[in-house]
Amino acid sequence: MRVLQTATLLVATLGAGLMAGLFAAFAYAVMPGLARSADRTFVQAMQHINRAILNGWFLVPFLLPVPLLVLATVLAWNGHGRVALPWIVGALVLYLAGFFVTSGVNVPLNTALDKADTGDDGRVEAARAAFEGPWVTWNAVRALLHTAAFGLLARALFLHGTAGVG
């Protein structure tokens, strides 16, 4: 049971960390870089990125922490490492909040940008204007949520590892 708890927490922590890093990288590097681009370049780059990111390298670390955090909560409740339970629950809440920001805000913005009519410069400019500000804002929110979830999971993993030691 303890090995399963440890593995569950470790993999969930790694997934949360990968997502925090990805979203943070967009916040401090990708989007500021693209902000310096012409409208058509910006729109085309984001369309290509949004299509390319839908792969297993993204989806596994994005989706897997959710069931793992639920399992980690149940295991901590019923077994060894109950001291980590509040940290795990807090991480689950924050991760789910970030998950819902992604699925409820960023993904619909991505979809709208992908379907945008970019036949002339005016439409490209309008597509960018409708996308960039909200996407950047909500990306920062999800980056903070996933980073906080990662921090709580790191603490939970530490507490779980030291439970019963000494």
Side-chain angles (χ1 to χ4, degrees):
M1 179 79 96
R2 181 154 170 79
V3 171
L4 178 60
Q5 287 176 294
T6 302
T8 300
L9 271 176
L10 181 60
V11 174
T13 303
L14 291 172
L18 286 169
M19 290 301 94
L22 174 68
F23 299 144
F26 266 89
Y28 62 69
V30 175
M31 298 312 287
L34 288 176
R36 298 176 179 149
S37 301
D39 293 337
R40 186 166 302 281
T41 302
F42 176 91
V43 169
Q44 288 175 337
M46 284 307 299
Q47 287 172 332
H48 292 302
I49 289 168
N50 290 334
R51 291 175 195 144
I53 203 165
L54 295 176
N55 64 67
W57 293 106
F58 169 76
L59 292 173
V60 169
F62 179 64
L63 296 173
L64 190 58
V66 175
L68 288 179
L69 287 170
V70 171
L71 178 59
T73 300
V74 171
L75 292 172
W77 181 269
N78 292 324
H80 184 79
R82 196 170 170 117
V83 65
L85 182 61
W87 301 92
I88 297 167
V89 171
L92 174 61
V93 169
L94 290 171
Y95 196 91
L96 284 173
F99 181 90
F100 288 124
V101 166
T102 299
S103 60
V105 179
N106 292 91
V107 169
L109 286 168
N110 294 347
T111 301
L113 186 66
D114 193 53
K115 293 178 180 179
D117 180 357
T118 57
D120 63 53
D121 289 345
R123 291 182 185 143
V124 171
E125 183 180 352
R128 179 180 185 168
F131 175 86
E132 188 174 14
W135 197 95
V136 166
T137 299
W138 286 103
N139 180 68
V141 170
R142 69 183 178 170
L144 291 170
L145 289 166
H146 284 276
T147 300
F150 173 73
L152 293 180
L153 282 169
R155 179 70 176 156
L157 195 56
F158 172 79
L159 291 171
H160 171 74
T162 59
V165 175

